[in-house]
Amino acid sequence: MAERSPATRRTLSALLIAVFAFLYIPIGVVVALSFNEGGLPTVWSGFSLKWYGSLAGNSQILNAALNTLVVAVVSTLIATLLGTLLAIGVEIRRRKGRALEALIFAPMIIPDIVLAIALLSFFSMLNFRLGLHTIILAHVVFNIAFVCAVVRARLKSFDWSIVEASADLGASSLTTFRRVTLPMIAPAVIAGALLAFTLSVDEFIIAFFTAGAGRASTTLPMQIYSMIRFGVTPEINALATLVIAVSVTALALSQRMNRTIAP
Amino acid sequence: MTSDHRILLDIDGATKRFGAVTAVDAFSLGIRENEFFALLGPSGCGKTTLLRMLAGFESPSEGRILLDGVDISRVPPNRRPVNLMFQSYALFPHMSVASNIAYGLEMEKLPRAEIDARVAAMMETTQLTELADRRPDQLSGGQRQRVALARALVKRPRLLLLDEPLGALDKKLRGAMQLELKRLQYKLGITFIMVTHDQEEALVMADRIAVLKDGHLLQCGTPNEIYEQPASRFVADFIGVTNFIPGKATGAGIMTAHGMAIAGKRPDSIAEGSPAWAAIRPERIMLSPPASTENRLTGTVRTRAYHGLDLQLHVDTPVSDTPIVVRITADAAERNPVATGDTVEIGWSTADTRIFDQLKN
């Protein structure tokens, strides 16, 4: 690459900083204001953890947090199992020259709102009662695609003769999966699961459409949305900060897992 | 070659089709107990497909494969007393050397003590004892190859299949491993079938060689038979170096386009007057041959290349568009120095001339 002049380099650095500032200052403000003593969203009046305390005493929020956890954990478990099996199946077929790639990626690409409407129509067509279980099913739908994508990325560089070697040495398919395939792709499976968990925790639109009426199936993002209609309170900032903390942690872990398996 | 000539593996008309492509075509061959056998051919000749059928990863579209007289064509790989050493070695990257070797025995559900004893003995045989706790990515290419070999051999298979076993090694190491493989095969008394595209490797290592092309068996025999009596032009060309002089078959050899007769024994299968090749190995050609030599040519030395033990000359002659390759020993070259551009007389005897049909390969 040609050597850039100092002026160009300075301009490019400034641009980079500006982009990152645009992305992260709003998030930073939310996090900062969650520690604000006073109740006004724009005036800093001292450091305090009292909004976190008031969160802990809010039964509606605690209930929503529990719902979110249930949805995220259950949908992650199901999606990880199905997504991993799907990835293996698709890779084996792809090597034999038949694939259905586009169909698998669809839930990742289709706008959430479309998926939300489609799932709602589907559930009501089947006369499904809406509730937490329908949110879980809906989250499984798009999470399968993400888990599958992460695991497939690993399988692309997978030496399938290792699986054949296991069979050659006398192992059944099940033993081969348990002792060879799964240990080798485990980091990708865990990375996919953490990604699915993150996506599920802060998913709003699809959950909103498939939750049905009533408090019983309100998730955290839905709870925040209903609270925000009465204005941004420091309590919401505190809640948002917690959600960010969970998401960032899961995402960082996921990336870390994925890096350990780089072949 | 061992004295035991019992047939261990009987490939009976095995055919494998992938869609419209026939990879292996009605292939029949008997492989003897304790034999070191090589399947030799260029890439795409079907040798790997054949090997995968023997291992159980492909099943024949037609025909049978009998091991000890039992049809194993449909037996899955994990139930065959046959093991394959993969070209990529396919070691388990998350297991130590010792665990890799023990894996196959664990699948047989043997007692732990027996597994440990056999693994230890096999690591001793293959000089891996000191590497027992290493993982495959901490090993060199040659060490990985030995682990792959040990992992397959520890199961004491009736038949060990080796897919291009030395393909991933550098040239020097390959020479050492050729001898090492032969030593192990002799010591353990296991029948080896090796797939290779390297004719030199096949000649050095195998007791018998099958030459394959386009899914067909062209010729099967000892290295000496294959080298000295190739059945077709393809075999003569593929194994070692051969000079081919075009012409028409006559009663006593061929007649070149320039009206020069080359004496050689014509097989009855080639009709007089049909296009044919006279084939001569470079080392059979003499420089300044004695007067009694039947076939003589005069030519110009185009290139001269020193190979240590011998000297290789490319001689332009009127009988062929391609120069004739002549290999003379360094001693002979010293007695009779030749330089590029020299006019030389070359010659060879009738017995060293083979005649092949031009219409068949």
Side-chain angles (χ1 to χ4, degrees), chain B residues 9 62 108 304 315:
Chain B
L9 180 79
E62 273 164 40
E108 291 175 31
R304 177 183 180 281
V315 181

Side-chain angles (χ1 to χ4, degrees), chain A:
Chain A
M1 196 183 289
E3 195 65 22
R4 292 205 177 92
S5 74
T8 318
R9 233 179 313 158
R10 264 197 302 277
T11 315
L12 286 174
S13 309
L15 201 62
L16 184 70
I17 291 166
V19 168
F20 274 115
F22 181 72
L23 283 175
Y24 288 105
I25 284 178
I27 296 172
V29 167
V30 166
V31 173
L33 286 178
S34 75
F35 298 106
N36 191 1
E37 165 88 58
L40 291 168
T42 47
V43 188
W44 180 261
S45 47
F47 181 86
S48 161
L49 289 174
K50 73 176 186 189
W51 302 113
Y52 289 89
S54 95
L55 270 187
N58 186 329
S59 67
Q60 282 187 4
I61 289 176
L62 288 180
N63 182 48
L66 183 68
N67 281 344
T68 294
L69 201 65
V70 169
V71 168
V73 168
V74 177
S75 73
T76 296
L77 287 178
I78 299 174
T80 303
L81 178 71
L82 295 179
T84 301
L85 293 178
L86 180 64
I88 293 172
V90 168
E91 271 310 299
I92 290 173
R93 288 178 78 98
R94 188 182 66 85
R95 295 193 315 131
K96 292 184 178 170
R98 290 163 297 177
L100 16 93
E101 317 239 341
L103 282 178
I104 298 162
F105 286 116
M108 289 167 76
I109 297 158
I110 293 176
D112 283 358
I113 184 74
V114 176
L115 197 57
I117 295 168
L119 283 163
L120 178 59
S121 320
F122 177 68
F123 289 142
S124 35
M125 208 175 81
L126 294 179
N127 280 331
F128 238 56
R129 211 166 43 78
L130 297 180
L132 268 192
H133 57 282
T134 43
I135 305 180
I136 290 173
L137 283 178
H139 281 193
V140 166
V141 168
F142 66 81
N143 272 340
I144 284 180
F146 284 96
V147 172
C148 179
V150 174
V151 175
R152 275 188 69 191
R154 169 70 181 112
L155 289 176
K156 284 249 167 28
S157 60
F158 193 77
D159 179 4
W160 289 90
S161 62
I162 292 173
V163 170
E164 288 188 338
S166 172
D168 186 69
L169 293 167
S172 65
S173 317
L174 202 64
T175 309
T176 298
F177 182 75
R178 192 171 54 80
R179 289 204 48 186
V180 176
T181 318
L182 193 57
M184 284 180 68
I185 62 170
V189 173
I190 295 169
L194 287 166
L195 179 65
F197 183 81
T198 313
L199 292 172
S200 180
V201 163
D202 62 8
E203 201 286 323
F204 171 70
I205 300 174
I206 294 171
F208 188 75
F209 273 66
T210 53
R215 293 237 131 259
S217 50
T218 300
T219 63
L220 261 189
M222 288 159 70
Q223 176 68 29
I224 295 176
Y225 176 71
S226 70
M227 284 162 70
I228 216 160
R229 279 184 292 191
F230 308 104
V232 180
T233 65
E235 218 174 7
I236 292 178
N237 289 334
L239 191 53
T241 303
L242 290 177
V243 174
I244 292 170
V246 171
S247 299
V248 169
T249 309
L251 208 60
L253 279 175
S254 162
Q255 290 203 339
R256 209 193 155 88
M257 291 309 294
N258 232 340
R259 210 169 319 129
T260 60
I261 57 165

Side-chain angles (χ1 to χ4, degrees), chain B residues 147-181:
Chain B
V147 177
L149 193 62
R151 188 177 67 172
L153 284 174
V154 77
K155 284 185 67 92
R156 296 178 188 155
R158 293 291 285 136
L159 186 62
L160 179 72
L161 310 170
L162 304 105
D163 188 3
E164 302 275 1
L166 308 173
L169 303 179
D170 62 56
K171 200 174 172 191
K172 197 138 202 180
L173 195 54
R174 210 178 299 163
M177 284 312 294
Q178 284 178 355
L179 299 177
E180 177 66 13
L181 273 177

